[in-house]
Amino acid sequence: MTTPTRTTVLLCDLVPYRHSTRTRKIAATVAPGRPGEVRAVTLARVGRLGMSDTPGHSCIDGVDVENLPVREIDDRRNLAASVRNLLLRYLPAIWQLRRRVLATPARTIFVGQIALFWLGIAHRRRWGSEVIISSREMPGGVRTKGSLATWFSRVEPWMLRRAARRHNFTVVAVCDSHADRFRELGVKDVLVVRNVPLASFAPRYTSPPSGPDLRLACVGSLYPGRGIEVLIDAVVAARAAGAPVRLTITGPAGKEYRQSLRDRIDAAEAGDYIALEEACATGEVPTCYQRSHIGTALYEAVDAANDSLSNKIFEGVVAGRPVIAGNLAENRALVKRHRLGWTIPVEVAPIRDLLIRLAADIPAVQAHAEHCHEVGRTEFVWEIETLPLQKRLIGA
């Protein structure tokens, strides 16, 4: 068991370590060659998407990981369920998280969830550590119905502005527009680190599937706002127009939401060409994309938190597949600059028309795949993207 006094980098997060993409990638990047110096403390269960892991200690990629137990989450989207989750599930677990974190001296603390910024500041007060806080969304942007994150998001700008006046800390944003917003709130030190994959994520190039059908992949956590309903309806409409299109949806989801997607597919009698699969292992994500011709990142503009660069764009491209992405500003700039695919309004008619057009010329779609794979290997590499952040974390 690692002794606390040897910890150089301490990471904490609400999301279980295996499911916390950015926290896990940061830890895996700085841990090699530093046995016992990188430690992570996270909750073992969070949210309504089924993100959970076994409570207790483990060693993952050279990182000493502790997942703290959390009682079963009520995944119903109503006020009573949210209050019960907060009072009976999360607050006791967060109190334990606080105790573990504050009992561990470290030179640097990396806070993987903006809602825990106060814990990073408390650690600095006790141990004089450098505080680095990761933000996944636009400040104050979360507006998901029935989500506790939405409650915090409403007061987040005010809290961050007040904290920035009193304390020094670094915020890591996922795109330039988010970084600008943090600076407007008074945060003086902001880094931009796009959520690109680890180098080890990139598979060997494989040609897109043969056959007459245009195959689409939607991979990752499934929740309202990801445009999944729109994509299902667009595929159904394209099939009705005679286009040979198939869709595979893969990822974790709350029970009610998964059932709503299943009901939508069944109501359209689309089960023969739309598959709804359970979550796959992290190492299988590239294969999910490579079974298709095109990946998707259709985040809707109904939630300001959905305006960032999604790692779904990067995942698809690194796997060697072009993407269809929502026409949000950050997406448009990236996709156009590197010729990664298509951006489009997240509406049924435009997506239907695009699918019909692409299905009529599948060889052209196939030809685009190798270009995307090469761009992914040269432009979207986590170990290079995070060099400035690594220097902050380990003084390399």
Side-chain angles (χ1 to χ4, degrees):
M1 179 67 188
T2 303
T3 58
T5 55
R6 294 178 57 197
T7 302
T8 300
V9 180
L10 174 64
L11 306 100
C12 64
D13 206 323
L14 294 174
V15 180
Y17 181 80
R18 294 181 193 274
H19 297 278
S20 182
T21 305
R22 285 170 73 84
T23 298
R24 189 186 70 247
K25 289 192 296 188
I26 281 292
T29 304
V30 301
R34 297 174 179 82
E37 295 184 11
V38 180
R39 184 180 181 192
V41 185
T42 69
L43 301 188
R45 182 192 304 273
V46 73
R48 296 178 169 93
L49 301 179
M51 290 189 292
S52 64
D53 201 358
T54 304
H57 289 270
S58 59
C59 183
I60 304 173
D61 299 326
V63 180
D64 174 20
V65 177
E66 182 180 11
N67 289 315
L68 301 176
V70 181
R71 294 177 60 190
E72 189 74 26
I73 303 298
D74 187 339
D75 67 359
R76 290 174 293 182
R77 291 187 177 274
N78 57 54
L79 179 61
S82 294
V83 171
R84 280 195 296 272
N85 286 336
L86 176 64
L87 297 180
L88 303 179
R89 279 78 168 179
Y90 290 127
L91 287 183
I94 291 173
W95 180 255
Q96 292 301 315
L97 179 67
R98 173 188 175 277
R99 290 184 59 189
R100 292 288 201 282
V101 167
L102 295 185
T104 307
R107 201 194 76 177
T108 305
I109 180 169
F110 180 87
V111 180
Q113 199 87 21
I114 197 73
L116 293 177
F117 78 91
W118 54 272
L119 185 52
I121 292 171
H123 193 275
R124 179 185 180 88
R125 284 174 173 167
R126 176 165 293 188
W127 302 111
S129 52
E130 181 178 12
V131 181
I132 300 178
I133 304 169
S134 178
S135 174
R136 297 173 171 90
E137 296 93 16
M138 174 76 77
V142 180
R143 290 295 182 269
T144 302
K145 182 180 179 182
S147 168
L148 290 174
T150 299
W151 293 9
F152 170 77
S153 187
R154 294 183 187 280
V155 298
E156 177 186 357
W158 174 81
M159 296 178 72
L160 285 177
R161 192 186 301 276
R162 184 178 181 185
R165 286 199 299 263
R166 301 182 177 187
H167 307 281
N168 293 321
F169 53 86
T170 300
V171 169
V172 182
V174 296
C175 58
D176 290 327
S177 62
H178 290 197
D180 291 341
R181 178 60 178 147
F182 280 111
R183 294 185 184 106
E184 290 172 2
L185 293 173
V187 180
K188 298 178 180 64
D189 188 20
V190 185
L191 296 177
V192 176
V193 176
R194 300 174 300 179
N195 206 10
V196 300
L198 288 161
S200 59
F201 176 93
R204 292 181 179 180
Y205 176 73
T206 63
S207 299
S210 58
D213 294 340
L214 179 72
R215 297 180 179 271
L216 309 176
C218 175
V219 185
S221 299
L222 311 178
Y223 53 84
R226 270 207 68 183
I228 300 170
E229 296 89 343
V230 174
L231 181 58
I232 290 171
D233 293 349
V235 169
V236 171
R239 292 281 299 204
V245 182
R246 292 184 177 274
L247 169 64
T248 301
I249 304 168
T250 306
K255 295 177 183 178
E256 289 185 1
Y257 186 65
R258 181 177 293 278
Q259 187 58 50
S260 72
L261 295 178
R262 170 57 57 198
D263 292 344
R264 197 179 201 94
I265 294 169
D266 292 343
E269 299 182 349
D272 290 340
Y273 55 89
I274 299 180
L276 179 60
E277 300 179 346
E278 297 289 337
C280 65
T282 302
E284 297 172 359
V285 170
T287 303
C288 292
Y289 285 107
Q290 290 186 330
R291 293 198 304 251
S292 69
H293 296 97
I294 299 172
T296 57
L298 294 169
Y299 291 82
E300 300 176 64
V302 296
D303 191 334
N306 283 348
D307 69 342
S308 61
L309 276 174
S310 169
N311 63 341
K312 304 310 165 193
I313 295 178
F314 300 118
E315 285 178 1
V317 170
V318 169
R321 297 297 181 262
V323 294
I324 300 174
N327 66 339
L328 302 169
E330 297 281 355
N331 290 348
R332 288 198 307 268
L334 182 78
V335 171
K336 181 179 180 180
R337 179 164 64 248
H338 295 289
R339 297 188 296 116
L340 304 180
W342 308 266
T343 56
I344 194 167
V346 185
E347 301 169 3
V348 173
I351 298 174
R352 175 203 61 202
D353 295 344
L354 175 63
L355 295 179
I356 292 171
R357 188 168 76 249
L358 297 177
D361 193 2
I362 293 179
V365 176
Q366 292 170 322
H368 204 47
E370 194 165 0
H371 162 76
C372 288
H373 187 257
E374 184 61 28
V375 171
R377 292 180 62 186
T378 56
E379 297 287 340
F380 307 141
V381 181
W382 177 262
E383 288 83 349
I384 297 174
E385 181 80 11
T386 57
L387 280 174
L389 178 56
Q390 291 179 51
K391 292 178 180 180
R392 301 289 187 91
L393 288 168
I394 60 178

